[in-house]
Amino acid sequence: MKDHAKSSIVSESKVPEVTLGFWIVKIAATTLGETGGDTVTMTLNWGYLAGTCLFLAAMIVLVAAQVRARKFHPALYWATIVASTTFGTTMADFADRSLGIGYTGGSTLLLTCLVLALGLWYRTEGTISVDSVNTPRVETFYWAAITFSQTLGTALGDWIADTGNMGYRGGALIFAAGLAAIAALYFWTRVSRVALFWGAFVLTRPLGATVGDFLDKPLDHGGLALSRPLASAAIAIFMLLCLVLIPQRAGQHPGQRERPSKPEQQVEGPGLADDRRQ
């Protein structure tokens, strides 16, 4: 019994508390992934395939370190998120452009991959709630789903901005409105917190993608034409400041039930860290 409790504590300690600060850092990380990926593939002229291979290797190393970690390390967790979102940027661009299937085809392909990853996770474990992330196998499912959601978000952002003729500012407003709708469902309905978490996680990626594109794309494409390396550096500094100023605590995810030893220890965190299971 003690060993089981210890294992649960170790698993929970590797997961950041989902608060408003979590989503601020997440959006900053996804924006950095967009400008950082474009810096390597376009500014440095590595190309989409080489950039994808580079960031895939970095992501594999960081995911392995995250799975092996014994407790929550904010720097490691967010470095893994940045690696997954940067890989998502280059992978989505490779699928959309180098494979010649376009934004619609790329978005459809990546949505299929995400659904398959979540479906395999559910079929294997009986749940896709992140409170089940307590073994290396489940954590692998967790990071696979996150990576596909990041990649899908990039493709969706480009699809809405370009194919949908909404532009980067219009795309950012659409995805921001989607996140506002999810927040409204969270506060005023009893919709599954697990579903809302994954919905918000997916939508923050295209929001970051469109913001990143707005910063570095040419003026005639609706962007501000800022230097990609400078924009990436500025976003990285902002993200680091957030990590320093915003408390980074290990915590629970939506849908996770607390198991306190005393009734007075029950605490409901802000944001999406709700302990009510739907």
Side-chain angles (χ1 to χ4, degrees), residues 56-76:
L56 175 61
M59 188 188 69
I60 290 174
V61 170
L62 288 168
V63 167
Q66 176 69 22
V67 171
R68 290 174 59 86
R70 298 292 298 170
K71 63 180 182 178
F72 172 58
H73 296 285
L76 175 59

Side-chain angles (χ1 to χ4, degrees), residues 156-157 160-161 165-177 206-207 210-211:
L156 286 176
I160 292 295
N165 296 319
M166 295 299 298
Y168 300 114
R169 282 177 290 186
L173 289 175
I174 288 176
F175 295 119
L207 176 61
T210 51
V211 171

Side-chain angles (χ1 to χ4, degrees), residues 62-97:
L62 288 168
V63 167
Q66 176 69 22
V67 171
R68 290 174 59 86
R70 298 292 298 170
K71 63 180 182 178
F72 172 58
H73 296 285
L76 175 59
Y77 180 86
W78 287 110
T80 309
I81 289 291
V82 170
S84 70
T85 194
T86 310
F87 167 72
T89 296
T90 54
M91 182 61 196
D93 287 341
F94 177 72
D96 294 342
R97 301 166 188 172

Side-chain angles (χ1 to χ4, degrees), residues 83-211:
S84 70
T85 194
T86 310
F87 167 72
T89 296
T90 54
M91 182 61 196
D93 287 341
F94 177 72
D96 294 342
R97 301 166 188 172
S98 296
L99 294 182
I101 60 178
Y103 295 126
T104 302
S107 298
T108 302
L109 173 63
L110 294 167
L111 175 60
T112 302
C113 290
L114 175 59
V115 171
L116 288 175
L118 291 174
L120 182 59
W121 180 359
Y122 184 83
R123 182 172 182 178
T124 304
E125 302 297 327
T127 179
I128 57 172
S129 174
V130 290
D131 68 335
S132 67
V133 183
N134 51 19
T135 67
R137 182 176 68 180
V138 179
E139 196 166 3
T140 300
F141 283 129
Y142 173 76
W143 285 106
I146 282 179
T147 300
F148 281 126
S149 74
Q150 305 275 46
T151 311
L152 172 62
T154 300
L156 286 176
D158 290 339
W159 182 45
I160 292 295
D162 291 346
T163 306
N165 296 319
M166 295 299 298
Y168 300 114
R169 282 177 290 186
L173 289 175
I174 288 176
F175 295 119
L179 287 171
I182 288 178
L185 290 173
Y186 171 78
F187 285 112
W188 295 315
T189 74
R190 296 183 62 82
V191 174
S192 168
R193 271 42 185 168
V194 175
L196 292 179
F197 172 81
W198 284 110
F201 205 96
V202 169
L203 286 181
T204 51
R205 181 62 189 99
L207 176 61
T210 51
V211 171

